[in-house]
Amino acid sequence: MADRTDDKYDKIKRQENKFRFRFSLLAVFLLAFLGLHFYFHDDQDREYLHKVENNAAEAADTSLNHGGGAGGLKLLKRTLATETSRKDYTTEGKTPVADAKEGHKVMKIEEVSDAENTGSKEQEQDSDGDIDEETLVKEVERIDSEVRQIKAKLPPGNFMETDTEGVNASKRLQDATRKLLRKRYGPNEPYRVRVELEFQPTIPDFENDGGKDGMILIEMAPSTFQPHSIFTFMEVARKYKGGGFHRIAGHVLQVMVKNTGVKHLAFQEYSPEWPHEKGTVGYAGRPSGPAWYVSLINNVRNHGPGSQQKANPHEADSCFGKVIEGFDTDVQRIRKVPGQGFLNDRGMWVLINKMQIMVPESDGKYVDWAPSQ
């Protein structure tokens, strides 16, 4: 009887040792894999991988030193699950997150601080230097067309701001547009646009308030937030052929732009990091642009998310710049134009004779931009 018990005990021990041996080999293999993974990744990943490697070592220790095969296997499974479920979102300035309010995973776009993206931005700028501007233009046009098609085919009740395909395509358009902005206007930001005004004799204080000449200076938001909107405005300026302030309202002064082939926005690009505060510049209409306006008051409630209609609580006017010179002078003078609302008489408009793009040099000094020959 004792012999049978001993044989049964020996058999169990052999099976346990066999299990522990196989488990140990698996743990060693994982440690070796993570060691190579650790070696070839950048500093940002190493802290994370170090934690995963510690879990694997703890799993091996549990099995080898304490005979806890089940406990060690459970910990090793947790380690493998942690590693394989990891998502590496390294696209500049954005990170997809899950919306807890929805019953499923919704892709939204959050901003990432400049400090977190310094390294990736520098690497991307270096790679941009190898791509010619014409290639970047074609890439932006291709993705822009894709975004418009996705938006046009959305079923009723679906929104670009929450549709996975729409968000991903919009994000690709933003990424490609940032590259084109850097290529065409240089890596230094923010860009600016000088808007040269002409007041007409119909304004009551024409003789006493400085005559016909005026100017406002608009500084663009960081392209981290609104690259598509910024690029569209720069295209309006680059191709400008005429227009003027043709709407006088209590909350905005709106500009009509002569048609130069610049399209309205492919999607309603908006960032909560650049809201419709007093003095900011946004696009009018649905779809928005290229008509634009200056906010005379804080217009977050008037033009922010969900403000223009009830069906889509996410949609907002794009806000992409701010008046940094001329708001307290020439902007206030525009408000003195006789009449309210849309001005049918062009002789009442404050004309915009020129929109000049300005870019900062490495020393921070701004110069007028001109196309490279």
Side-chain angles (χ1 to χ4, degrees), residues 23-24 27-28 30-31 34 50-79:
F23 180 85
S24 301
V28 170
L30 178 60
L31 286 169
L34 289 174
H50 185 64
K51 294 178 181 178
V52 177
E53 193 170 30
N54 283 344
N55 280 346
E58 183 182 350
D61 181 70
T62 301
S63 175
L64 294 174
N65 296 332
H66 302 287
L73 183 60
K74 183 177 181 181
L75 184 55
L76 185 58
K77 286 182 177 178
R78 187 185 72 194
T79 300

Side-chain angles (χ1 to χ4, degrees), residues 59-350:
D61 181 70
T62 301
S63 175
L64 294 174
N65 296 332
H66 302 287
L73 183 60
K74 183 177 181 181
L75 184 55
L76 185 58
K77 286 182 177 178
R78 187 185 72 194
T79 300
L80 288 170
T82 302
E83 173 62 19
T84 55
S85 65
R86 179 172 179 257
K87 302 297 183 183
D88 185 17
Y89 294 112
T90 57
T91 305
E92 175 192 345
K94 306 289 178 184
T95 174
V97 295
D99 186 351
K101 295 182 179 179
E102 300 289 341
H104 56 284
K105 196 167 186 179
V106 176
M107 302 297 285
K108 287 189 174 181
I109 296 175
E110 287 188 347
E111 308 301 340
V112 177
S113 67
D114 291 339
E116 292 174 319
N117 285 293
T118 301
S120 61
K121 282 184 179 180
E122 291 175 351
Q123 292 174 0
E124 188 172 355
Q125 287 176 18
D126 291 341
S127 65
D128 293 348
D130 300 329
I131 307 175
D132 62 89
E133 184 176 325
E134 184 178 355
T135 299
L136 291 172
V137 169
K138 290 180 179 179
E139 179 69 1
V140 168
E141 290 176 347
R142 182 187 67 81
I143 304 174
D144 181 279
S145 178
E146 179 184 343
V147 171
R148 294 175 192 274
Q149 291 176 19
I150 293 172
K151 184 177 181 181
K153 294 178 180 179
L154 281 178
N158 288 41
F159 310 122
M160 284 292 285
E161 293 82 4
T162 55
D163 179 78
T164 301
E165 185 182 16
V167 169
N168 288 338
S170 300
K171 189 170 177 293
R172 290 199 308 275
L173 177 58
Q174 289 178 315
D175 292 338
T177 305
R178 289 189 192 95
K179 294 179 181 180
L180 180 53
L181 282 169
R182 285 195 295 266
K183 189 69 176 182
R184 179 174 290 172
Y185 301 113
N188 301 316
E189 294 188 42
Y191 308 121
R192 292 176 178 176
V193 175
R194 186 176 68 247
V195 181
E196 299 180 6
L197 307 174
E198 179 184 341
F199 291 90
Q200 301 194 74
T202 50
I203 190 169
D205 59 4
F206 182 78
E207 296 296 334
N208 300 326
D209 231 359
K212 70 180 184 66
D213 295 327
M215 186 275 290
I216 60 175
L217 184 62
I218 300 173
E219 186 168 275
M220 301 296 101
S223 64
T224 304
F225 301 150
Q226 305 283 58
H228 179 49
S229 303
I230 292 169
F231 179 77
T232 299
F233 194 70
M234 303 283 267
E235 285 295 275
V236 170
R238 188 172 72 92
K239 300 179 178 182
Y240 188 71
K241 291 184 178 179
F245 285 91
H246 75 132
R247 181 192 179 196
I248 312 298
H251 65 302
V252 296
L253 300 174
Q254 186 170 319
V255 173
M256 187 283 293
V257 178
K258 183 179 291 187
N259 185 8
T260 57
V262 178
K263 297 179 180 179
H264 59 71
L265 298 185
F267 68 103
Q268 291 299 122
E269 185 180 47
Y270 178 77
S271 170
E273 300 295 329
W274 200 268
H276 290 273
E277 297 177 346
K278 181 178 179 179
T280 55
V281 181
Y283 284 119
R286 288 292 183 277
S288 288
W292 54 278
Y293 58 80
V294 176
S295 284
L296 300 175
I297 62 174
N298 187 316
N299 275 316
V300 172
R301 294 185 63 181
N302 295 320
H303 297 288
S307 59
Q308 297 292 304
Q309 39 73 44
K310 297 179 180 180
N312 184 353
H314 312 285
E315 185 183 84
D317 284 359
S318 177
C319 186
F320 57 88
K322 186 173 185 177
V323 178
I324 61 170
E325 288 185 24
F327 185 83
D328 294 330
T329 53
D330 287 326
V331 168
Q332 303 308 315
R333 192 179 177 206
I334 295 172
R335 301 179 73 175
K336 298 177 182 179
V337 169
Q340 285 287 311
F342 291 97
L343 306 176
N344 296 322
D345 182 359
R346 190 180 176 89
M348 307 288 285
W349 294 13
V350 176

